Amino acid sequence: MQNIKGPDDLQRNVLDEELCTGCGACTNLCPYIDMVKANAIIIEPCGLSKGRCYNFCPRSYIDVPSLDKSIFGSYREDIAIGSNIYVMKARAKDEEIRSAAQYGGVVSALIIHALQTGKIDAAVLATSSDGVNPKPTIARSKKEVLECVGSKYIVSPTVSKVLDAIKGEMGKIGVVCTPCQMTAIRKMQDSPFETGEEKISLGIGLFCTWCFSPDTYEYIRSLVGSANILKTDIPPPPANIFVIQTDERRVEVPLDEIRKFIMPSCAVCFDMTNEFSDISVGTVEGEEDWNTVIVRTRNGERFLKSAKEAAIIETKPLEKEKFNHLCEASLNRKKRALKEIDGRKITYLTIRDEERSKIISWNGGI
Amino acid sequence: MHVEIDEPGRKVLLMGNEAIARGAIEAGVDFCSGYPGNPASEILETLAGVAKKLDFLTEWSVNEIVALEAAGAAACAGLRAMTVMKNMGVDVCSDFLMTVNMSGTKGGFVLISGDDPAVHSSNSELDTRNYARFADIPLLEPATTQEAKDMTKWAFDLSEELGVLCMVRTVTRLSHSSGLVSLGPITREERSAEFAPLLGTWTSGSGDYTCMFHDALHGKLKTAQEKFEESQFNWYTGKEDAEFIIITSGTGWLYSAEAVKLLGLKDEVGILKLGTTWPLPEKLIAKHLKHAKEVLFVEEIDPFLEQNVKVLAAELAADIGPIKFYGKKSNHIRSEFGAGVGELDVDTVMRGLTETMNVTYIPRDQDYAEKAEKLVGSYAPNRSMAFCAGCPHRASFWAIKRALKWDGRDGIVTGDIGCYSMAQLPTGFMVLKSMHCMGAGIGTATRFGNLKRYGLDKPVIAVSGDSTFYHACIPALINARWNKSNLLYVILDNKTTAMTGNQPHPGIGIDALGEPSPVTPIEDVCKGIGVEVRKCDPFDIDEATQNLYEMLQTEGVKVIIFSRECALTEAQKRKKKPRVYVDQDKCIGDECGCMRFCTRVLNCPGNIWDYTKGKAKIDEVVCNGCGLCAKLCPAGAIIVEEVV
């Protein structure tokens, strides 16, 4: 309990430091905190010195060894991509899902499977009515899941919707979210506070290099005018572009042009591959219709097995070279994050000293 | 109603304001106007209640200057006209006052001003007697309920005789206390109105003409003074040739008489009680200054008599010899806040007497306050000043607070006079940071919102009520647009003039008599001015916050109307209120996730804390059933049940 502090500390250590990820873990818990433009705002002090807002926040503190222990039963052996049982390539078998999805459709296929088999009763996903701005939503059917396909690069307060789903007595809940959001959910599950977190039965984590702030929308609009935006995309390396597909044309923006809209909190992020998920899903280098899948927990492994047996997904091994590139990308992110954290004297991240020195001294290659 | 009893000589219990109304009725008033404001509001309400039966006209005017102009016109046309307002209303009407004094009147023309010593329901301790001197008009100050009636009646005669409007000054304690009044006959003289000014025009002229009118006004005042020398409202009591005298007026006379009696000084002290206080009855005063060696002044608020009598004493110095003067200047008459501030009472006068007359008296037991607290403490709930249960302003200011936090630029909120002024206090989350006169919220916001040139670049919100909008905000709104200001003007439209007792205004569709009248919608006025207007219900609190936030993000002058009826008028109309209760099993209480939000932050008088259970509960007697707390309760523990 020594780490548990209250809203004053949240203000000082997270919000004032511009570390809010906009995940929504501190909102929807009480009437004192609102989420505006992906930033938590404390309207009025509640007067408590210990609270869930600070406790759940993925930027107040992350004790990696302790989280590893509570989720995986032991500390990670893989310092590049975190605890995992196996890594592979996969894609949805259902053509309908695959044609709708951005890449291999694994996330949508798994969530639909979870809903159809009763693994979960509701899934918290991000949807978008304008092709750009995400909005967390609760899906309970294949149709509702398919309305949420496609990548969203602007931050979404998904965890606040998870809290909605818990309060709404939806039964077992699955969630698809970014690493910071998954961290918040795991902290919630690891917390002495009772919030109904035991209802969260499946966590599918998305790979994430960074998220854009909500202001990005206006910038994108300035590029495409009032055209109907179908999707946005950051193709896997080495493309290095941001793509806006409207019903009229395809606009490509060099990634460097749009980097200024990256959430400031992403600079200290240590986790690219969603290290606390049951199953993490991302793109595959150079392949547009497959996903990289990291199976991390026993829960995730059992569920993926059932999905394979039901022929929901098909899998292939991930090539060694591509796996290495994934690990390198992840280590790069960790190294950059540690530099930033040390440079700014931010203390939110606790990792083992041995791991820290390995990452800091890492100079490429696996 | 007692005010309409037509039995001369009968004694009835009347409130001071009713007595003033009765005086106007006995004078045969033909028209009365006013703008609501405590302590004067009940005068016009009382008159409006009998206006139909007695067949005369009344109006709630849109503001005090319009009210005085309307009454001036009726008086110019030869009718007996009166206008009533609170102290600060005289400020508003003073522009017209400073000219209609010279243009004169044909019918009796009376201005009633309600001063508010100790600021029971105002935000200024303005002493409006200064206006009488300033405007060279006769001033009467009643001391008792009987005098309130008699002086009002006489003011009409005096005004008619002199051809100038007369002012009657009351104070909160007189207006709101009741006393026995011996009734006079009700006269209903049928007058006909005509526009026939003596000189063909009704004007204060300009240039030399104005100087001539001004001089004529001084002449009228001279005549008034002569009449005042003989007035029945001035008298002297106590030792015939007392060396120590009190000069007093209004309620000060009652306190003085009681203080002298309690201190056993009746044989030593004389009291000169003045009812006609401008111009002063100089001969009468001179007569008593001659035998006095020491004078104590006892009067509410300013040292008005004190200064004017001292000037007179200087003129008479050769005849009357040296006199020691005590009062506010000497700090002998002072409240807990100081001299010339706050309200008089018997203790204050007794202290003044003991300090000047070498007598000892302890006005109160040392432990009086403690004893009183013990006695009262167990019965009176400990409550701070707050919006009523169910008041929509609570929601409005929570929305404003949230929107400003969302915006994050530390915005400024200016406001003015009404129930919503309490948003300076915790009940309004201390959102309001500026309050002055009617209309000053939008007026000051106009420039707070346009000082980028000097580095002030913050969002600015002005708030006003609906009645205030009509009263004083329209010119400022036009000015804001004209001068390219950036501000968001929030109009808290609760469909009534709430603070003063729910009088109607031009947006409601009824007049002072409660009869149908044309509506001037706030929205249409704002749209006509050309500003962006949105409208929403503050009880839809998320929508209200979102609207505010969005409007704060754009430049220019914008208006949002928070439309929701006053909880009090709504409660008067409906037959049943919803039942609101707390499901204490769901209530989180003081745990993380709530920390007593309803009782600690929202702080509606209907939300109370159950100390035995450590949970929230509803005071169902006080609760208005609005359901705001149920909407904001994070645990969904507050249940609103419609009662059929």
Side-chain angles (χ1 to χ4, degrees):
Chain A
M1 288 286 276
Q2 61 178 20
N3 269 327
I4 302 178
K5 294 176 184 169
D8 292 350
D9 303 276
L10 186 76
Q11 182 71 50
R12 202 167 38 245
N13 299 345
V14 180
L15 306 180
D16 291 349
E17 294 282 348
E18 293 195 323
L19 293 182
C20 178
T21 66
C23 73
C26 61
T27 53
N28 240 342
L29 289 165
C30 72
Y32 302 98
I33 305 181
D34 284 339
M35 180 64 67
V36 181
K37 283 188 159 185
N39 269 298
I41 288 166
I42 299 176
I43 305 297
E44 168 104 9
C46 72
L48 291 172
S49 57
K50 291 181 176 187
R52 291 178 290 180
C53 55
Y54 185 87
N55 189 212
F56 298 172
C57 174
R59 289 290 181 268
S60 57
Y61 64 92
I62 306 179
D63 185 342
V64 175
S66 143
L67 269 184
D68 271 357
K69 200 144 196 308
S70 83
I71 301 165
F72 307 109
S74 62
Y75 187 63
R76 62 183 60 191
E77 284 166 15
D78 189 330
I79 66 160
I81 60 166
S83 294
N84 63 83
I85 300 169
Y86 56 85
V87 182
M88 62 182 184
K89 284 201 292 194
R91 66 176 185 182
K93 277 209 150 177
D94 185 334
E95 284 290 339
E96 188 193 352
I97 296 174
R98 232 176 42 235
S99 63
Q102 199 123 338
Y103 290 95
V106 170
V107 172
S108 305
L110 291 180
I111 287 295
I112 291 165
H113 179 61
L115 284 169
Q116 287 174 345
T117 56
K119 166 81 179 161
I120 57 172
D121 302 301
V124 177
L125 310 168
T127 181
S128 176
S129 56
D130 51 25
V132 183
N133 276 315
K135 199 180 129 200
T137 185
I138 296 168
R140 269 160 297 196
S141 65
K142 179 176 177 180
K143 185 173 166 282
E144 284 171 355
V145 174
L146 288 178
E147 280 165 12
C148 300
V149 295
S151 306
K152 286 100 195 163
Y153 296 96
I154 293 179
V155 60
S156 150
T158 299
V159 188
S160 73
K161 202 72 189 176
V162 173
L163 292 164
D164 258 354
I166 290 170
K167 280 193 247 174
E169 293 171 7
M170 302 263 173
K172 287 176 288 182
I173 296 158
V175 58
V176 176
C177 61
T178 62
C180 50
Q181 295 165 351
M182 189 63 77
T183 306
I185 287 167
R186 293 307 189 200
K187 285 182 76 178
M188 194 187 296
Q189 289 178 319
D190 202 30
S191 154
F193 290 104
E194 284 172 24
T195 307
E197 68 287 345
E198 68 284 352
K199 292 178 181 167
I200 303 166
S201 308
L202 180 65
I204 297 186
L206 304 168
F207 289 7
C208 179
T209 41
W210 26 252
C211 266
F212 291 130
S213 76
D215 290 337
T216 319
Y217 181 70
E218 279 165 33
Y219 172 72
I220 291 173
R221 275 286 161 219
S222 76
L223 297 174
V224 301
S226 58
N228 187 22
I229 299 169
L230 300 176
K231 68 166 186 179
T232 55
D233 192 16
I234 299 176
N240 221 22
I241 50 167
F242 181 71
V243 180
I244 309 152
Q245 182 67 53
T246 75
D247 50 9
E248 291 162 7
R249 63 197 172 116
R250 178 183 155 99
V251 178
E252 290 184 5
V253 188
L255 269 186
D256 286 342
E257 283 285 301
I258 202 168
R259 273 182 200 279
K260 59 179 179 245
F261 293 108
I262 294 172
M263 290 284 288
S265 61
C266 296
V268 298
C269 177
F270 181 79
D271 180 1
M272 186 188 91
T273 61
N274 219 316
E275 296 172 5
F276 304 117
S277 70
D278 289 308
I279 300 166
S280 296
V281 183
T283 56
V284 183
E285 184 188 339
E287 294 183 61
E288 295 230 343
D289 44 3
W290 287 85
N291 288 111
T292 301
V293 175
I294 306 174
V295 180
R296 298 186 183 277
T297 62
R298 292 293 160 207
N299 178 35
E301 187 194 18
R302 277 194 300 276
F303 174 65
L304 204 88
K305 191 168 165 240
S306 87
K308 257 167 93 172
E309 283 169 4
I312 298 299
I313 55 169
E314 53 183 311
T315 64
K316 274 204 255 180
L318 181 69
E319 295 83 347
K320 184 72 186 163
E321 192 195 358
K322 288 182 180 173
F323 175 74
N324 285 348
H325 284 170
L326 176 68
C327 293
E328 282 177 56
S330 180
L331 280 166
N332 253 325
R333 145 110 341 250
K334 285 176 192 287
K335 192 170 172 176
R336 271 204 306 274
L338 285 180
K339 267 191 176 169
E340 179 80 14
I341 288 168
D342 292 348
R344 284 172 60 185
K345 297 190 169 54
I346 292 162
T347 56
Y348 90 97
L349 187 72
T350 304
I351 56 171
R352 294 204 300 195
D353 291 345
E354 179 196 338
E355 186 179 351
R356 171 183 292 270
S357 53
K358 272 187 187 166
I359 293 167
I360 300 238
S361 60
W362 178 75
N363 274 317
I366 294 294
Chain B
M1 279 171 98
H2 282 155
V3 287
E4 54 180 322
I5 295 171
D6 195 8
E7 293 173 37
R10 184 169 158 189
K11 284 187 175 175
V12 297
L13 191 68
L14 292 181
M15 186 167 70
N17 281 342
E18 290 174 327
I20 291 169
R22 172 70 188 201
I25 292 167
E26 290 184 9
V29 70
D30 299 300
F31 172 69
C32 184
S33 61
Y35 184 81
N38 292 320
S41 305
E42 297 88 354
I43 302 169
L44 183 56
E45 282 177 330
T46 305
L47 286 170
V50 298
K52 257 188 162 172
K53 189 176 165 195
L54 297 177
D55 195 20
F56 62 87
L57 305 176
T58 55
E59 76 168 45
W60 280 124
S61 309
V62 82
N63 64 26
E64 290 88 350
I65 189 166
V66 176
L68 189 68
E69 286 158 354
C76 166
L79 303 176
R80 287 197 151 191
M82 183 164 94
T83 188
V84 296
M85 58 194 66
K86 70 179 289 157
N87 53 358
M88 296 168 81
V90 184
D91 292 333
V92 177
C93 77
S94 61
D95 210 356
F96 184 65
L97 177 63
M98 295 301 165
T99 45
V100 78
N101 55 352
M102 290 184 282
S103 59
T105 183
K106 199 158 148 198
F109 183 15
V110 177
L111 166 61
I112 308 282
S113 163
D115 282 1
D116 190 16
V119 205
H120 295 283
S121 51
S122 307
N123 65 333
S124 166
E125 253 185 324
L126 178 70
D127 187 334
T128 54
R129 293 180 300 171
N130 294 298
Y131 272 109
R133 191 181 129 165
F134 195 8
D136 294 319
I137 58 170
L139 168 69
L140 307 178
E141 271 189 81
T144 63
T145 325
Q146 181 71 47
E147 276 196 346
K149 176 191 80 79
D150 294 342
M151 278 190 185
T152 305
K153 181 172 186 287
W154 187 53
F156 282 94
D157 297 338
L158 190 66
S159 166
E160 227 160 64
E161 216 179 311
L162 299 172
V164 67
L165 86 157
C166 283
M167 183 165 160
V168 179
R169 184 236 201 180
T170 174
V171 293
T172 305
R173 295 292 174 192
L174 175 62
S175 281
H176 286 171
S177 62
S178 294
L180 277 182
V181 174
S182 176
L183 301 178
I186 291 180
T187 56
R188 294 306 313 160
E189 193 181 318
E190 187 56 40
R191 296 182 192 85
S192 57
E194 53 172 4
F195 185 76
L198 223 55
L199 300 175
T201 50
W202 183 43
T203 173
S204 64
S206 65
D208 290 351
Y209 289 102
T210 308
C211 293
M212 284 158 62
F213 287 137
H214 196 179
D215 187 51
L217 179 60
H218 290 160
K220 290 175 182 177
L221 214 57
K222 202 88 202 137
T223 313
Q225 190 170 43
E226 283 157 21
K227 291 184 166 296
F228 288 177
E229 299 288 1
E230 306 300 323
S231 168
Q232 51 155 328
F233 298 116
N234 306 323
W235 64 75
Y236 179 84
T237 55
K239 192 185 173 198
E240 194 61 22
D241 293 319
E243 291 190 351
F244 192 108
I245 65 167
I246 293 173
I247 299 181
T248 183
S249 66
T251 48
W253 173 70
L254 295 163
Y255 303 134
S256 299
E258 194 171 336
V260 166
K261 192 176 156 197
L262 287 171
L263 290 173
L265 296 171
K266 267 169 121 179
D267 297 334
E268 291 174 55
V269 175
I271 304 177
L272 177 60
K273 180 265 183 198
L274 297 176
T276 66
T277 48
W278 190 258
L280 288 175
E282 292 185 352
K283 286 179 193 147
L284 175 69
I285 296 169
K287 182 180 153 195
H288 295 289
L289 288 181
K290 266 184 187 159
H291 60 76
K293 294 216 159 40
E294 292 172 283
V295 175
L296 176 69
F297 295 98
V298 178
E299 58 190 318
E300 291 287 14
I301 317 182
D302 284 352
F304 180 81
L305 293 176
E306 185 173 330
Q307 288 174 352
N308 292 320
V309 169
K310 279 178 181 173
V311 171
L312 178 63
E315 289 169 11
L316 301 171
D319 292 335
I320 62 174
I323 298 175
K324 272 182 149 175
F325 290 106
Y326 310 117
K328 286 173 173 153
K329 177 82 189 300
S330 68
N331 205 35
H332 287 105
I333 296 295
R334 62 183 187 275
S335 74
E336 56 183 312
F337 300 102
V341 187
E343 198 171 31
L344 293 177
D345 57 17
V346 180
D347 286 343
T348 303
V349 182
M350 285 168 86
R351 188 180 55 207
L353 284 169
T354 56
E355 284 178 4
T356 51
M357 293 195 70
N358 202 22
V359 285
T360 51
Y361 175 77
I362 300 165
R364 279 178 179 172
D365 295 343
Q366 297 262 317
D367 57 350
Y368 176 86
E370 203 179 309
K371 277 188 195 161
E373 203 180 316
K374 262 190 196 158
L375 199 66
V376 178
S378 54
Y379 298 106
N382 188 10
R383 251 181 224 153
S384 51
M385 208 165 156
F387 295 134
C388 302
C391 175
H393 294 343
R394 185 173 285 104
S396 298
F397 284 102
W398 184 246
I400 292 173
K401 174 163 183 135
R402 277 174 87 198
L404 285 172
K405 287 279 182 179
W406 289 12
D407 175 81
R409 288 177 289 166
D410 195 21
I412 301 164
V413 184
T414 64
D416 45 50
I417 310 302
C419 297
Y420 54 95
S421 301
M422 283 190 287
Q424 296 170 105
L425 308 174
T427 192
F429 319 107
M430 302 203 273
V431 164
L432 191 61
K433 299 295 185 196
S434 157
M435 180 194 77
H436 297 89
C437 62
M438 297 285 275
I442 172 90
T444 55
T446 299
R447 199 39 74 173
F448 279 130
N450 201 351
L451 285 174
K452 260 191 208 169
R453 153 76 179 78
Y454 294 99
L456 181 60
D457 188 13
K458 287 182 173 185
V460 177
I461 293 180
V463 295
S464 89
D466 40 355
S467 189
T468 314
F469 171 79
Y470 298 106
H471 181 290
C473 295
I474 298 168
L477 181 59
I478 295 169
N479 187 56
R481 180 170 152 80
W482 186 28
N483 287 298
K484 293 171 266 184
S485 185
N486 290 302
L487 64 89
L488 173 55
Y489 175 27
V490 182
I491 302 171
L492 306 165
D493 181 8
N494 59 4
K495 326 282 179 206
T496 185
T497 313
M499 192 72 162
T500 49
N502 298 125
Q503 294 82 5
H505 65 57
I508 295 171
I510 53 167
D511 61 16
L513 295 176
E515 292 184 343
S517 70
V519 177
T520 303
I522 296 172
E523 200 175 351
D524 291 359
V525 175
C526 297
K527 281 182 178 162
I529 288 171
V531 296
E532 181 194 347
V533 185
R534 293 192 198 178
K535 198 172 179 178
C536 67
D537 180 348
F539 282 163
D540 293 335
I541 195 135
D542 288 337
E543 191 195 327
T545 311
Q546 185 64 33
N547 271 303
L548 285 166
Y549 174 69
E550 283 172 18
M551 293 180 99
L552 282 173
Q553 308 313 306
T554 58
E555 300 267 294
V557 178
K558 298 134 291 181
V559 171
I560 183 160
I561 302 168
F562 279 166
S563 176
R564 183 81 188 195
E565 187 172 355
C566 168
L568 298 183
T569 55
E570 199 220 345
Q572 283 159 11
K573 283 182 216 161
R574 70 180 174 205
K575 292 201 175 78
K576 281 170 184 162
K577 68 175 181 185
R579 183 184 167 231
V580 181
Y581 63 95
V582 175
D583 177 348
Q584 290 194 334
D585 291 336
K586 281 191 182 171
C587 174
I588 312 174
D590 51 13
E591 300 280 317
C592 171
C594 181
M595 186 50 199
R596 300 177 53 178
F597 181 77
C598 63
T599 54
R600 195 180 59 88
V601 179
L602 197 61
N603 211 4
C604 172
N607 294 105
I608 51 175
W609 185 247
D610 184 341
Y611 283 94
T612 54
K613 305 252 177 60
K615 302 275 184 179
K617 66 175 182 182
I618 302 290
D619 184 336
E620 291 192 30
V621 177
V622 175
C623 173
N624 186 272
C626 77
L628 177 68
C629 59
K631 276 186 192 163
L632 293 173
C633 172
I638 304 179
I639 318 294
V640 181
E641 208 173 74
E642 289 301 328
V643 175
V644 277

